[in-house]
Amino acid sequence: MKFFKIGLLLALLFIEISVNAEDMSRSAEIDKIYQEDQKTRSLFKRGDVYDRPAELKSDATHRMRLFEMMVDDLPWSAEDFALVSRIFQHTNTGSESEENESWRSQENHLLGFFFARKAVRLGLLNEGGGMVGRVDRYLKASGIPRDYGLELVSRTPLKVCPINPTITDEQRLNAGLPLKLNEIMLEFCH
């Protein structure tokens, strides 16, 4: 019994160390994002000339990474993630009719993408189409060509890939899509 208790204590200690290391890594990345954000803001406050379109793209990229980190840390079920993904795709600001996509808060589509991706990672493979759909809605609402998005290549085995892999993530960012699809879809496009 004594060895069992010692083994259990060591296992709990290992888990605590692992969680703390992950928290420190996440905190360091959040701090880096914050410092980059503040650097841009300090230029603005001093009246320096800076590249406003680049700032907007950088801000969106930072928010996407924070959304991704947030979703990856939530202790929810695959079904919960799938439902939340669908809810985010239907966010209505109330300013325009439902026939017009531009009233949707586009970043909510991308947050919905991360929720769908997490559902797939947890085994709900039918949400692969949800990943594609959330990016499609963002592209449509933003006026970005669909070939910048994703396609469901196969359901069994699940394979979701960028439609046009020759489009770089930098080109996507310049077009207004702050997701690094080539990079983040590697696990699904094998």
Side-chain angles (χ1 to χ4, degrees):
M1 186 66 163
K2 182 177 181 178
F3 291 112
F4 175 74
K5 288 181 181 179
I6 291 172
L8 184 60
L9 180 62
L10 288 174
L12 291 173
L13 183 61
F14 176 75
I15 291 170
E16 181 67 24
I17 290 170
S18 297
V19 168
N20 285 340
E22 185 177 314
D23 287 347
M24 288 173 43
S25 173
R26 181 177 47 254
S27 294
E29 185 175 359
I30 290 170
D31 184 63
K32 180 182 176 199
I33 290 170
Y34 174 77
Q35 295 304 325
E36 291 171 2
D37 181 73
Q38 290 303 298
K39 182 179 176 184
T40 302
R41 299 307 172 281
S42 67
L43 293 174
F44 178 72
K45 289 176 186 173
R46 289 194 328 235
D48 291 350
V49 176
Y50 66 100
D51 187 348
R52 180 74 174 148
E55 174 201 356
L56 294 174
K57 291 173 187 170
S58 174
D59 287 351
T61 300
H62 288 156
R63 285 191 300 274
M64 290 307 106
R65 180 61 186 132
L66 293 171
F67 286 165
E68 180 180 25
M69 291 168 71
M70 179 182 69
V71 168
D72 284 344
D73 287 342
L74 293 173
W76 295 354
S77 71
E79 293 79 11
D80 292 340
F81 282 112
L83 293 175
V84 170
S85 174
R86 293 177 197 147
I87 291 166
F88 271 102
Q89 85 166 343
H90 294 131
T91 301
N92 183 338
T93 63
S95 63
E96 293 184 29
S97 69
E98 292 194 6
E99 290 81 35
N100 187 344
E101 282 288 316
S102 66
W103 54 260
R104 297 185 188 274
S105 177
Q106 288 92 329
E107 285 187 350
N108 284 334
H109 298 304
L110 300 182
L111 184 55
F113 160 81
F114 288 120
F115 279 105
R117 185 180 73 167
K118 187 66 174 184
V120 170
R121 285 179 171 168
L122 292 174
L124 201 59
L125 301 182
N126 63 338
E127 285 302 308
M131 290 190 296
V132 172
R134 303 315 171 259
V135 172
D136 278 353
R137 283 185 176 266
Y138 179 88
L139 295 173
K140 183 178 180 185
S142 300
I144 301 170
R146 186 170 187 288
D147 64 334
Y148 278 65
L150 297 172
E151 66 180 330
L152 182 61
V153 177
S154 70
R155 291 188 184 277
T156 310
L158 179 65
K159 187 172 182 178
V160 180
C161 299
I163 292 172
N164 184 346
T166 64
I167 297 173
T168 67
D169 289 334
E170 185 175 330
Q171 289 171 311
R172 283 186 178 86
L173 178 60
N174 288 335
L177 178 62
L179 291 179
K180 296 179 179 180
L181 288 181
N182 289 336
E183 179 182 321
I184 65 178
M185 294 309 292
L186 284 175
E187 69 184 285
F188 300 104
C189 186
H190 38 83

